[in-house]
Amino acid sequence: MESLKYDLISPIDECIPLRNDSVCGIISTSVLEHISYPEIFFRESFRVLKPGGKIFINVPFNCPEHEVPFDYQRPTRYGLARWFEDAGFNEYCIEPSSSSVESACAHINTSLKDELLKGFRWSDLSNMFKRKPNDIIRISLNILTYIILGFISN
């Protein structure tokens, strides 16, 4: 942190050491899921924002746990709306930043990475027909994904 230039470092789920109505804007990107008490963050953001100030929040909804054990929630648009309203925000807009297809691709990507780190076992192919239907589907999808990745990487 010594080499970084910053104006303020503060816990964001506690009282922010700024005066009321003192900032024009707040940006929080991929942080909200790591805040223990997001209600406090929203309340404090409302307090320190000047009238007409803007707050931009980007929060992942459909992604695996990360920064464990400090990954606490994946709020829906309804959860976000409740936090905004409870804090006093009257006007807000909540829009998804990705589509269902993008979310599915992200899950496949993460799952593949996890499987690749474990290593593909060719013995799965020979044992596939001895398994339950769900295992057969999972293994078949893994094989298909390896084939697709082969085409993409070439």
Side-chain angles (χ1 to χ4, degrees):
M1 295 286 295
E2 292 83 28
S3 64
L4 297 176
K5 303 282 186 213
Y6 50 84
D7 294 324
L8 172 71
I9 295 178
S10 171
I12 56 177
D13 57 354
E14 297 177 13
C15 180
I16 299 173
L18 294 172
R19 293 183 320 273
N20 294 355
D21 307 326
S22 60
V23 298
C24 297
I26 295 172
I27 297 174
S28 171
T29 179
S30 296
V31 173
L32 192 61
E33 72 273 18
H34 302 288
I35 300 175
S36 300
Y37 304 102
E39 298 86 355
I40 297 171
F41 165 75
F42 278 89
R43 189 173 62 240
E44 282 296 292
S45 296
F46 184 79
R47 182 184 67 78
V48 300
L49 270 175
K50 291 180 179 180
K54 304 291 183 192
I55 182 169
F56 173 83
I57 297 174
N58 181 348
V59 61
F61 175 70
N62 197 5
C63 73
E65 290 180 340
H66 57 281
E67 301 297 329
V68 173
F70 304 104
D71 192 2
Y72 302 114
Q73 62 253 326
R74 300 286 182 275
T76 64
R77 67 180 113 185
Y78 307 105
L80 289 168
R82 183 184 53 104
W83 287 333
F84 275 117
E85 291 168 6
D86 288 352
F89 289 94
N90 295 322
E91 294 182 35
Y92 56 87
C93 177
I94 299 172
E95 296 179 9
S97 59
S98 62
S99 69
S100 298
V101 172
E102 289 170 306
S103 295
C105 289
H107 269 293
I108 289 171
N109 183 33
T110 301
S111 298
L112 283 174
K113 182 185 79 170
D114 293 346
E115 288 297 316
L116 289 172
L117 290 175
K118 289 183 208 172
F120 180 77
R121 297 178 309 268
W122 287 101
S123 61
D124 285 345
L125 289 174
S126 63
N127 294 325
M128 186 164 68
F129 295 105
K130 300 175 189 173
R131 297 174 181 245
K132 298 176 189 170
N134 285 345
D135 289 340
I136 294 171
I137 292 169
R138 180 183 57 80
I139 293 168
S140 300
L141 287 173
N142 284 346
I143 293 168
L144 178 62
T145 305
Y146 282 102
I147 293 168
I148 291 171
L149 281 179
F151 283 118
I152 292 172
S153 63
N154 289 331

